[in-house]
Every structure is written in C-alpha cells, then in structure tokens.
Amino acid sequence: MSAHLHPDNNVTINPTDNESIRDVLAAFTGRRNFMKGSIGTAVLASMGGFSLEALAAGYVPSPTPTNGGIGFNGVPANIAPMTDGITVPNGYTAKVFISWGDAIGKAGPEANTHWDPSTAMTKARQLTTWGSHNDGMHLFPFPAAGAGGLSNVRGLLVSNFEYVDPGLLNNTMTYGTDVITQDMVDAQLAAHGVGVVEVRKIGGEMKVQRPSAFARRITGATPCKVSGPAAGHPMLRTAADPAGMTVLGTLNNCAHGYTPWGTYLACEENFNGYFGTTAAKLAAQPRTPHEARYGVSQGGFGYRWHEADPRFDFRENPNELNRHGWVVEIDPWNPNSMPVKRTALGRFKHEGAWSVVGADNSVALYMGDDEINDYIYKFVCAKKLNTKNRAANRDLLDTGTLYVAKFNADGTGVWLPLVFGQNGLTSANGFNSQGDVVIMCRQAADLLGATKMDRPEWVAVHPTTREVYFTLTNNSGRTVTDAANPRANNVHGHIIRFNENGGDVAATGFQWDIFAECGDKLSSNPARQGNIIGDDLGSPDGLWFDSDGRLWIQTDQAGDATGNYANIGGNAMFCADPATRQITRFLTSPIRCEVTGVVTTPDNKTMFVNIQHPGESWSGSFTSRSTWPDSGINGPTTQSANGAIKPRSAVVMITKDDGGVIGT
C-alpha cells in the first residue's frame, strides 16, 4: 500500500492511551529475562528486547506440514534491476489466468467479450468482466464422488475487487483536474465489489468456463440487505433508504473469508476514502468525533465521487458512511441471492474474516482492523453449525458475541466482550443499544482498553490444530513497544499467533507467541534485521494455510526494491513451516504490485494467486512502470496481441510441471 488511492494506513486515528502491543512486549521482555536468548544482548537491546527463543517458551506450535512437506528450492529476491513478471521455482509454471476487463462468462451475447484497455471502462462493460484490483479470493469446489467429496476439476472462483485506479479506468492522465461525471463514478463503482467465475479443467488445464450460469458481478451499487443489530438503526437511515435496511454496494473489499456452509465473506476496509465534501460545508459543520475515529476527511483519497454523486458527500448524506465497513456475506451458488451486510461482526476497516469450527461445532470468526494502533477481534456465533442442513446456517452470523483482544505481558490474552450493558458500554458512555456498539465498534473497543496493534492484516487458521496467525504488516511511526508489538519504528512488521485456551474457539482466553519479526539480515541497523529463519521479507500481508498445513505468506510494500527493500526486493510469496519457522521464497512479482490472495484446488495441485496494481503510481504514460500481464512473460493474455496498453491486476495460475502438490 503506497499510493494515495491505496493508503498504507500509517497514521493513527486512535485517540486513546490504551496499551499497545509494543508496551506488552517490553514488559514481557523483563518477565521472561529475554537477555538469555541466543541473538545477543546488543541486538536484543536494539530490537526492543525481543528474543524469539524466550518468547516461544511454553508455546505449542502447529506441526510440520504433511503430504510431502516443503520441498522446493526458493527463488532469489527480485532486486533492482527488477524483472517485470512472475518468477516461481524450477519445476513450476505460472500463467496469467484472468485479468481486469476479461469476460467472466456471464450468460448472453457478451459471454466472451473482453474490454479493450485502449478505451475507457464503462459500467456496462465492467458488469460482464473481471473487476479492478483483485485481492482476497476463494475457490468453492463442486461436489464430487470419492475421497473428500470435492472436485479438483470444477469450482467457483470468487474474488474481491478492492479499489480502482481512476486514470487507468477512465482513460485519463489528468483525473485530478478533470470534471467528474456520474458516468465516471458509475464505471468505478462497477469495478469494485466481488466477482464469481466458474473454472473447469479442460484439456488438462483449468480455464474460465464461458458462458456460465454462475458468473456474477457484485459491485459498489448492488443492493445489499442489512441484518443483525444495526439493521434499521437510525444511524443507517438515509433519504433514499428511510428504513435503513438496504445499502447500495460493497466497497474496498480487501482480504476475505468463507463460511463452513459455503458462502463467501467480502470485507470492507478503507471505505472512508470514497467520501468527501466541500471546504465550505466542512467549515460550517466540522467533523464529528465519530467521523474522525473512522478517518473521514474533506478530500478522501482523491476519488472525488462526491463532486458528482451526493451519496458520497458526507455532509449531504452523513449516514451513508455508517452503511460501509461491514462484513458482507455472499452465496456464490445462488446468482440471484442478495448480499447481506452482517452487522453483528462490527464496523471497522475489515481486513478479513476467517472462520473456524470447533470440536463441538461452535463457529468463530477472527478479524483485524487494518489501521495503525487498532485492534484484533473475534465473533463467536450463538448457535452451533448444523452440518446436515445448510439452510439452517443461513443467519448464523446475526447473533453471537463480538470480542476484542487484550494481550498480556505474560504470554496470555483475553477476549473482552463488546456487549451492550457490559464493561461500560452503556448510555452513560454514548451506547444505547447493541446497534450503537457495532456501528461505533472502534469507540467501544477503545473504551474496553483493547491492545493497540501494528496494523492487523490477514488472518489464517491451521486446518487441524486451529492455531491462529495474524500478520501485523508494519508501523513505522511506533515509538513505544509492548509484548505483542515488540519493535519501535516497525518498518518491516511481524507475524503473531495464538492458541485458544483448551483448544476451544469460544474460549475467552488464549496463549500467544511471535512467529517472526520480519526484516533484512543485511541491514546495517540491527533493529531492522529481524529474526527470520530463511528468506527475508517485510510488510507481511496475505496469509493462508493449505490443507497440508503449509503457511503461505504474501507481502505488500512499495514493490520497487529500493530503500528499506533494496535487499529484500519486490513483493513476493513465501512458504513457511509452523513448527521450525523456516521461511522460503516461492514467488516473486512484477514491479510495484502487491501479491495478495491465494487458494488451491482441494488436492493442492493447482494454485491461484492474485497480483494487484502492477506498475502503481505510474506517471507520463500508463505503462511507465510496468507492462504486466500483457508483456507475455507469464503466457498469453486476452490482450497480448495488442501489446501492453495498461498494466492490469490479474489472477495467476500455478502448477507443478510433474503434476504434483504445490510446495513439495
């Protein structure tokens, strides 16, 4: 995240003096006598006293991956002069699968009609094509006979589309001074949201099925039902929706999740950046504390939608802002179903929502709020999963208990319930209902004294042990440390993990550990060297476990192999062993892109990876930084014959040349 339209959320808007994760680690250091660690006293002091060995004492990690483990030889870092393409280990092949503007196969005369990037994207064309800036992604396999009951040759690939580059989309190099029209806004709204494509193995290779009855686009203008405690709340009512029950669209979906009953969870992150107003209106009515806590500002991120569409003028329509920042449940198997904003899960900058089923069929979802000094959350459903009746789980996410995490300096943690009437969440403090609590979720967590984190990003849960991992991508502005955020000026970030007490996903206590402090071993600054065993990385973001227990880690930094990343190189994807902490680089990416979103077929033999915003922050020409994916480096695309006109986000398909399991 480095461009103004793709913010790095590196300025805190948390007004509290709540203990931060760095404060916790500083105290943890003294308690565990970290100076006995093997890194050395001088280095420990420069790192804020962190010792991986001491911190891990008593913590039980997940086992080494099964079914071949991790057996590939890592690829070198993509350092300057950078390769503008995907590199994977010898014995693997990476091909472009589907890119922004490619037909999704929506039934009808345009089932195979792709966008011409030399023109401006239109709303009509975007509604039948792959959206912009793909991010979180999941594959829903079709049922199949045999072991596992899931198909390896047919499924629904579902992806978020986080944001847009208006210049590329509207085909202009002067967007900042252009007159904004409703047509421009509508085209951008159509590029957001979620896409569904059917994939099938044809001729020995996975391909997009065109046409398909399942192909679907959900956008920034698609009607979404509101459910849960905020449904109908006065703060969600607008002139266009006086009942407060139907919101138009889902925006800025970053990481994702899916449910054990087969639905997709789109997670709204930096929604605040789409809203703005005029200087005169803001002077007449300054920002409220609520608006400030969610980062609303006069100009937003520079989209300027409010200049053409009053829905995004937060002075004309102040409640519209409250209708975004939710987890949105989508049923990919029913193309006619309405997406549902599940408000019981709280409103904040959702980076993802990862579900896990307990031994007793309890269901919990883990979520991060991607802002410096914001929090980690958990939601436990009130009802158990019904494994025999899918319809019985339809509204499972509407009732339950929302918690926020408090990390302690002794390596334990507690989940603090965000429940109206408890822990000060009362009318005396501005909360008059559970609807208030979830709408003002950040303020509720502030009040309870949750631990401030270094930008919680993706979450992953081990497939058998239920061990939970979170990426804390970075916090370059941190000056005070604690146990769970152990490093001041945390440029490179770290990965934290925890086990629920008793292995119970509904537990209110947990034990935690730092999996890795990311960094550059070649840095002259010991505080930035990290303690990674294996290949260095920085700004960890995407995170996913395959079914064999391999942990896949993706990064999101500037991606130009300069400054603090001259040695680490551009963004990449790594594979890690949870037991040994060994980390090996599997994939390197094009220039100035983000590697984000990964999933495989059930047999782990075909992998899909999202590459977002190649060539970001271009100037002078659209391809001034990158020509990927249409350069031909990773196979042909729908536009290869026309040459590289614009860099485009795309899904990459990776297979092992011998047909084996990815990662072995």
Side-chain angles (χ1 to χ4, degrees):
M1 293 186 178
S2 57
H4 65 287
L5 296 171
H6 190 200
D8 55 15
N9 294 348
N10 63 353
V11 177
T12 181
I13 53 177
N14 187 331
T16 73
D17 59 359
N18 288 358
E19 189 174 50
S20 76
I21 199 69
R22 298 288 170 177
D23 302 325
V24 176
L25 261 177
F28 200 174
T29 299
R31 185 178 183 90
R32 291 289 184 89
N33 190 14
F34 282 1
M35 295 305 176
K36 293 181 179 178
S38 62
I39 298 176
T41 302
V43 175
L44 281 171
S46 67
M47 293 175 65
F50 171 70
S51 163
L52 181 148
E53 291 82 0
L55 186 56
Y59 185 89
V60 180
S62 294
T64 291
T66 60
N67 193 21
I70 300 174
F72 63 91
N73 294 319
V75 298
N78 191 6
I79 60 175
M82 295 182 68
T83 298
D84 191 27
I86 301 290
T87 300
V88 290
N90 290 334
Y92 288 84
T93 298
K95 294 181 180 180
V96 177
F97 185 73
I98 187 171
S99 305
W100 174 34
D102 288 353
I104 60 173
K106 197 169 182 179
E110 296 184 325
N112 293 289
T113 305
H114 309 295
W115 172 50
D116 176 1
S118 67
T119 66
M121 177 63 80
T122 64
K123 173 184 174 181
R125 173 61 69 234
Q126 191 65 92
L127 290 176
T128 63
T129 57
W130 196 247
S132 172
H133 291 55
N134 39 216
D135 204 294
M137 173 175 56
H138 187 66
L139 178 68
F140 293 87
F142 275 71
L150 297 174
S151 175
N152 294 302
V153 299
R154 188 184 183 197
L156 300 180
L157 189 65
V158 187
S159 179
N160 287 342
F161 303 121
E162 184 182 4
Y163 72 111
V164 301
D165 182 324
L168 298 180
L169 188 144
N170 296 131
N171 207 40
T172 174
M173 295 187 184
T174 56
Y175 184 82
T177 57
D178 291 347
V179 175
I180 307 301
T181 67
Q182 188 66 55
D183 283 347
M184 294 168 71
V185 175
D186 288 345
Q188 292 185 42
L189 284 167
H192 283 75
V194 173
V196 181
V197 291
E198 182 180 347
V199 298
R200 290 194 185 193
K201 183 168 281 190
I202 302 171
E205 184 175 290
M206 283 290 206
K207 296 181 180 179
V208 177
Q209 174 66 34
R210 301 183 179 103
S212 170
F214 294 98
R216 184 183 187 188
R217 281 299 324 283
I218 293 160
T219 75
T222 301
C224 300
K225 176 184 174 181
V226 182
S227 71
H233 193 284
M235 291 178 70
L236 266 64
R237 299 173 190 167
T238 65
D241 177 31
M245 296 296 292
T246 306
V247 174
L248 291 182
T250 179
L251 296 171
N252 209 268
N253 293 293
C254 197
H256 69 298
Y258 67 96
T259 67
W261 50 92
T263 58
Y264 183 81
L265 301 177
C267 301
E268 299 178 326
E269 189 197 6
N270 289 306
F271 60 91
N272 58 307
Y274 300 102
F275 294 85
T277 192
T278 66
K281 291 176 183 176
L282 196 58
Q285 187 179 350
R287 285 193 312 173
T288 66
H290 175 61
E291 290 168 339
R293 188 64 182 90
Y294 282 87
V296 70
S297 64
Q298 180 189 324
F301 296 158
Y303 288 99
R304 302 173 58 203
W305 291 355
H306 63 283
E307 297 178 21
D309 189 339
R311 178 159 77 104
F312 297 98
D313 186 322
F314 67 86
R315 277 294 157 266
E316 293 292 327
N317 290 286
N319 280 354
E320 187 67 32
L321 186 78
N322 299 323
R323 293 153 65 88
H324 301 273
W326 304 103
V327 172
V328 185
E329 186 175 13
I330 297 165
D331 187 351
W333 301 104
N334 182 358
N336 297 315
S337 60
M338 181 181 286
V340 183
K341 298 204 173 190
R342 299 291 185 184
T343 65
L345 276 62
R347 176 176 170 269
F348 44 87
K349 291 188 177 182
H350 283 275
E351 184 67 27
W354 205 257
S355 64
V356 57
V357 179
D360 63 350
N361 284 332
S362 294
V363 179
L365 287 90
Y366 296 95
M367 303 169 286
D369 185 350
D370 185 7
E371 194 104 61
I372 281 178
N373 289 329
D374 269 291
Y375 310 122
I376 286 174
Y377 297 83
K378 178 174 79 168
F379 180 81
V380 178
C381 298
K383 298 179 181 179
K384 302 291 179 68
L385 174 69
N386 189 324
T387 59
K388 297 181 180 180
N389 182 358
R390 182 175 188 256
N393 303 308
R394 186 181 307 276
D395 296 319
L396 210 62
L397 300 181
D398 281 344
T399 55
T401 304
L402 181 64
Y403 298 91
V404 66
K406 173 73 173 176
F407 290 80
N408 298 323
D410 61 357
T412 66
V414 294
W415 293 107
L416 307 172
L418 295 166
V419 176
F420 172 64
Q422 300 180 19
N423 301 316
L425 299 178
T426 63
S427 57
N429 291 311
F431 299 94
N432 296 301
S433 66
Q434 188 63 20
D436 286 350
V437 171
V438 295
I439 293 170
M440 299 183 289
C441 191
R442 281 184 165 179
Q443 297 96 311
D446 291 345
L447 184 65
L448 266 63
T451 303
K452 296 188 288 189
M453 309 298 288
D454 286 355
R455 285 190 57 205
E457 289 267 4
W458 287 53
V459 58
V461 179
H462 191 277
T464 58
T465 69
R466 304 186 185 94
E467 184 186 24
V468 182
Y469 286 65
F470 266 93
T471 48
L472 303 176
T473 194
N474 56 53
N475 183 350
S476 58
R478 180 178 288 287
T479 57
V480 179
T481 64
D482 60 40
N485 293 277
R487 186 166 51 181
N489 191 20
N490 187 17
V491 171
H492 294 305
H494 59 290
I495 300 172
I496 198 167
R497 59 185 179 177
F498 52 85
N499 283 309
E500 299 281 16
N501 289 350
D504 181 3
V505 301
T508 56
F510 56 89
Q511 296 180 334
W512 63 271
D513 171 37
I514 298 287
F515 177 69
E517 285 277 342
C518 302
D520 173 11
K521 296 185 190 74
L522 300 179
S523 174
S524 59
N525 183 348
R528 294 187 180 174
Q529 292 175 359
N531 57 24
I532 286 177
I533 302 170
D535 293 326
D536 287 338
L537 65 94
S539 296
D541 191 339
L543 205 60
W544 181 72
F545 272 106
D546 66 28
S547 59
D548 294 330
R550 299 176 195 86
L551 178 63
W552 297 90
I553 305 167
Q554 301 171 317
T555 67
D556 179 15
Q557 30 97 350
D560 57 5
T562 63
N564 292 322
Y565 290 88
N567 298 320
I568 293 174
N571 283 305
M573 184 169 75
F574 303 77
C575 192
D577 184 328
T580 66
R581 288 187 164 95
Q582 180 73 34
I583 295 176
T584 306
R585 188 182 299 104
F586 178 80
L587 172 153
T588 59
S589 66
I591 298 169
R592 291 193 68 86
C593 78
E594 174 186 349
V595 184
T596 177
V598 56
V599 69
T600 65
T601 49
D603 60 7
N604 293 322
K605 292 183 178 181
T606 301
M607 173 179 277
F608 299 96
V609 176
N610 273 338
I611 301 296
Q612 188 189 91
H613 66 71
E616 187 176 51
S617 300
W618 52 267
S619 63
S621 72
F622 296 137
T623 56
S624 63
R625 292 186 181 273
S626 176
T627 60
W628 195 87
D630 300 320
S631 59
I633 291 177
N634 297 114
T637 68
T638 59
Q639 299 297 324
S640 295
N642 302 321
I645 297 169
K646 293 172 182 172
R648 300 187 293 153
S649 299
V651 183
V652 173
M653 180 177 68
I654 301 171
T655 52
K656 199 172 183 183
D657 297 346
D658 65 5
V661 170
I662 303 292
T664 59

